[in-house]
Amino acid sequence: MKNWSYKITEGEHAGETLWSGRYCCVAGFILSHTNGNNIKILAVKRGQDCPDFKGMWCCPCGFLEADETGEEGIARETWEETGYEISAENFDLLAVETDPKLCNKAHVTLMYACVVNQCEVDDYFDIDWLPFDRESEEVQWIPVDEIGKYDWAFGHDKIINELMENL
């Protein structure tokens, strides 16, 4: 793996070089169980404005911004991609993936999990309101025992299965 450099061509910093390494991403595995053992996971079908894996399913995820904690980042990404507003305090760090061979485009990924009552968050959901509606083509609560029926991006299906084994 290598780092990339960018030469600034114009303006006050013309001729200077900026270095860029790996970026930090967040991913949220949001579980709900309202009827006994009927556990569901919040998932997004990636839309036309996504840079890769269009039409595939994933859990809410994206890049961490410079002014936010990991928990704030996954709360923001969840809202942007699903329309669900879940407080940053509800997310617990699940794992950190740093192996460049396992991370999409070698990004470091902070993985978070939380459990919500689906009925409570459904009261606030409106897919037509999504701020970035071409990033998310569809949003669903998928029963965990049915994730094998979907085409998943980023290996999220494997992570969900591991999460369920450790509950």
Side-chain angles (χ1 to χ4, degrees):
M1 212 53 170
K2 66 174 196 162
N3 290 324
W4 298 270
S5 65
Y6 306 92
K7 184 89 58 182
I8 300 173
T9 58
E10 298 177 9
E12 174 183 346
H13 298 281
E16 293 180 22
T17 300
L18 295 178
W19 290 93
S20 177
R22 298 166 69 187
Y23 294 96
C24 188
C25 297
V26 291
F29 299 88
I30 302 160
L31 299 167
S32 173
H33 59 92
T34 54
N35 299 329
N37 290 334
N38 188 14
I39 300 173
K40 296 179 181 180
I41 188 103
L42 184 59
V44 176
K45 187 173 186 181
R46 294 174 62 80
Q48 295 304 308
D49 284 350
C50 291
D52 50 14
F53 303 108
K54 289 174 179 61
M56 294 178 75
W57 289 87
C58 66
C59 292
C61 58
F63 290 103
L64 186 63
E65 293 183 359
D67 64 344
E68 60 190 5
T69 66
E71 294 84 357
E72 291 167 343
I74 193 53
R76 174 188 49 78
E77 286 292 343
T78 299
W79 174 76
E80 287 177 358
E81 294 181 2
T82 72
Y84 287 107
E85 188 168 355
I86 299 173
S87 174
E89 290 80 31
N90 290 331
F91 289 94
D92 291 314
L93 184 63
L94 177 65
V96 178
E97 184 55 71
T98 63
D99 185 340
K101 295 177 186 127
L102 297 176
C103 297
N104 185 42
K105 299 180 182 166
H107 301 314
V108 172
T109 303
L110 307 175
M111 292 177 261
Y112 290 89
C114 80
V115 178
V116 297
N117 181 328
Q118 181 185 341
C119 295
E120 289 175 10
V121 293
D122 277 346
D123 291 340
Y124 301 102
F125 178 70
D126 179 5
I127 195 161
D128 294 327
W129 174 82
L130 286 178
F132 303 101
D133 59 351
R134 292 184 49 83
E135 188 174 324
S136 301
E137 185 175 310
E138 190 176 341
V139 176
Q140 274 189 41
W141 285 99
I142 297 175
V144 171
D145 58 1
E146 295 180 15
I147 63 169
K149 297 177 182 179
Y150 295 79
D151 192 16
W152 291 86
F154 312 117
H156 283 186
D157 53 336
K158 293 173 189 65
I159 296 167
I160 295 165
N161 284 328
E162 289 175 17
L163 177 61
M164 296 310 298
E165 288 174 8
N166 293 318
L167 284 181

